[in-house]
Coordinates of all heavy atoms in Angstrom, one line a residue:
T1 N 1.6 -18.6 30.3 CA 3.1 -18.7 29.9 C 3.5 -17.4 29.6 O 2.9 -16.4 29.5 CB 3.2 -19.7 28.7 OG1 2.5 -19.2 27.7 CG2 2.5 -21.0 29.0
D2 N 5.0 -17.4 29.1 CA 5.5 -16.2 28.7 C 5.4 -15.9 27.2 O 6.2 -15.2 26.6 CB 7.0 -16.3 29.0 CG 7.7 -17.4 28.3 OD1 7.2 -18.2 27.7 OD2 9.0 -17.4 28.5
R3 N 4.3 -16.4 26.5 CA 4.1 -16.2 25.2 C 2.6 -16.2 24.9 O 1.8 -16.5 25.7 CB 4.7 -17.5 24.5 CG 4.2 -18.8 24.9 CD 4.8 -20.0 24.3 NE 4.4 -21.2 24.8 CZ 5.0 -21.9 25.8 NH1 6.1 -21.5 26.2 NH2 4.5 -23.0 26.2
V4 N 2.2 -15.8 23.8 CA 0.9 -16.0 23.3 C 1.0 -16.8 21.9 O 2.1 -16.9 21.5 CB 0.2 -14.6 22.9 CG1 0.0 -13.9 24.2 CG2 0.9 -13.8 22.0
Q5 N -0.1 -17.3 21.4 CA -0.2 -18.1 20.2 C 0.6 -17.3 19.2 O 0.6 -16.2 19.0 CB -1.8 -18.2 19.9 CG -1.9 -19.2 18.6 CD -3.3 -19.2 18.3 OE1 -4.2 -18.4 18.7 NE2 -3.7 -20.2 17.4
N6 N 1.3 -18.2 18.2 CA 2.0 -17.5 17.2 C 1.1 -16.8 16.3 O -0.2 -17.0 16.2 CB 2.7 -18.7 16.3 CG 1.6 -19.6 15.6 OD1 0.7 -20.2 16.2 ND2 1.6 -19.7 14.3
A7 N 1.6 -15.6 15.7 CA 0.9 -14.6 15.1 C 0.0 -15.2 13.9 O -1.1 -14.7 13.8 CB 1.8 -13.5 14.6
R8 N 0.5 -16.1 13.2 CA -0.2 -16.6 12.0 C -1.5 -17.4 12.5 O -2.6 -17.3 12.0 CB 0.7 -17.6 11.2 CG 0.1 -18.2 10.0 CD 0.9 -19.1 9.2 NE 0.3 -19.6 8.1 CZ 0.9 -20.5 7.2 NH1 2.1 -20.9 7.4 NH2 0.2 -21.0 6.2
G9 N -1.3 -18.1 13.6 CA -2.3 -18.9 14.2 C -3.4 -17.9 14.7 O -4.6 -18.1 14.7
R10 N -3.0 -16.8 15.4 CA -3.8 -15.8 15.9 C -4.6 -15.1 14.8 O -5.9 -14.9 14.9 CB -3.0 -14.7 16.7 CG -2.5 -15.1 18.0 CD -1.7 -13.9 18.6 NE -2.6 -12.8 19.0 CZ -2.3 -11.6 19.1 NH1 -1.0 -11.2 18.7 NH2 -3.1 -10.7 19.5
A11 N -4.0 -14.8 13.7 CA -4.7 -14.3 12.6 C -5.8 -15.2 12.0 O -7.0 -14.8 11.8 CB -3.7 -13.9 11.5
E12 N -5.4 -16.4 11.8 CA -6.5 -17.3 11.3 C -7.6 -17.6 12.3 O -8.8 -17.6 11.9 CB -5.8 -18.7 10.9 CG -4.8 -18.7 9.9 CD -3.9 -19.8 9.6 OE1 -3.8 -20.6 10.6 OE2 -3.3 -20.0 8.7
K13 N -7.2 -17.7 13.5 CA -8.3 -17.9 14.5 C -9.2 -16.7 14.6 O -10.4 -16.8 14.8 CB -7.7 -18.2 15.9 CG -8.6 -18.2 17.0 CD -7.9 -18.7 18.4 CE -6.7 -17.8 18.7 NZ -7.1 -16.5 19.0
L14 N -8.6 -15.6 14.6 CA -9.5 -14.3 14.7 C -10.4 -14.2 13.5 O -11.5 -13.8 13.7 CB -8.5 -13.0 14.7 CG -9.2 -11.7 14.7 CD1 -10.0 -11.5 15.9 CD2 -8.1 -10.6 14.6
A15 N -9.9 -14.5 12.3 CA -10.9 -14.6 11.2 C -12.0 -15.5 11.3 O -13.1 -15.1 11.1 CB -10.0 -15.0 9.9
D16 N -11.7 -16.7 11.8 CA -12.9 -17.5 12.2 C -13.8 -17.1 13.2 O -15.0 -17.2 13.1 CB -12.2 -18.9 12.5 CG -11.6 -19.7 11.3 OD1 -12.1 -19.4 10.2 OD2 -10.7 -20.5 11.5
V17 N -13.2 -16.6 14.3 CA -14.0 -16.1 15.5 C -14.9 -14.9 15.1 O -16.0 -14.9 15.3 CB -13.1 -15.8 16.6 CG1 -13.9 -15.1 17.7 CG2 -12.5 -17.0 17.2
R18 N -14.2 -14.0 14.1 CA -15.1 -12.8 13.8 C -16.3 -13.3 12.9 O -17.4 -12.8 13.1 CB -14.3 -11.8 13.1 CG -13.2 -11.2 13.8 CD -13.5 -10.5 15.1 NE -14.8 -9.8 15.2 CZ -15.3 -9.3 16.3 NH1 -14.6 -9.4 17.4 NH2 -16.4 -8.7 16.3
E19 N -16.0 -14.3 12.0 CA -17.2 -14.8 11.2 C -18.2 -15.5 12.1 O -19.3 -15.4 11.8 CB -16.5 -15.7 10.2 CG -17.5 -16.2 9.1 CD -17.0 -16.7 7.9 OE1 -15.7 -16.5 7.6 OE2 -17.6 -17.6 7.3
S20 N -17.7 -16.2 13.0 CA -18.6 -16.9 13.9 C -19.5 -16.0 14.8 O -20.8 -16.2 14.8 CB -17.8 -17.7 15.0 OG -18.7 -18.3 16.0
I21 N -19.0 -14.9 15.2 CA -19.7 -13.8 15.9 C -20.7 -13.2 14.9 O -21.9 -13.1 15.3 CB -18.9 -12.7 16.4 CG1 -17.9 -13.2 17.6 CG2 -19.7 -11.5 16.8 CD1 -16.9 -12.2 17.9
R22 N -20.4 -12.9 13.7 CA -21.4 -12.3 12.7 C -22.5 -13.2 12.3 O -23.6 -12.7 12.2 CB -20.5 -11.8 11.5 CG -19.7 -10.6 11.7 CD -19.2 -10.1 10.3 NE -18.3 -11.0 9.8 CZ -17.0 -11.0 9.9 NH1 -16.4 -10.3 10.8 NH2 -16.2 -11.9 9.3
H23 N -22.2 -14.5 12.2 CA -23.2 -15.4 11.6 C -24.0 -16.2 12.7 O -25.1 -16.5 12.4 CB -22.5 -16.4 10.7 CG -22.0 -15.8 9.4 ND1 -22.9 -15.3 8.4 CD2 -20.8 -15.4 9.0 CE1 -22.1 -14.8 7.5 NE2 -20.9 -14.9 7.7
T24 N -23.4 -16.4 13.8 CA -24.1 -17.3 14.8 C -24.2 -16.7 16.2 O -24.9 -17.2 17.1 CB -23.4 -18.7 14.9 OG1 -22.1 -18.6 15.7 CG2 -23.3 -19.4 13.7

């Protein structure tokens, strides 16, 4: 599409994904 995920959602997702990488 002509957009990416809303910035707040991206921030929360990034925090979870980075933690997932570090721990699992």
Side-chain angles (χ1 to χ4, degrees):
T1 65
D2 62 356
R3 57 185 174 261
V4 296
Q5 184 183 15
N6 65 303
R8 182 179 180 183
R10 288 179 68 206
E12 293 169 342
K13 175 172 58 62
L14 179 61
D16 288 332
V17 170
R18 295 312 317 178
E19 187 166 332
S20 174
I21 293 174
R22 287 190 296 270
H23 291 292
T24 69

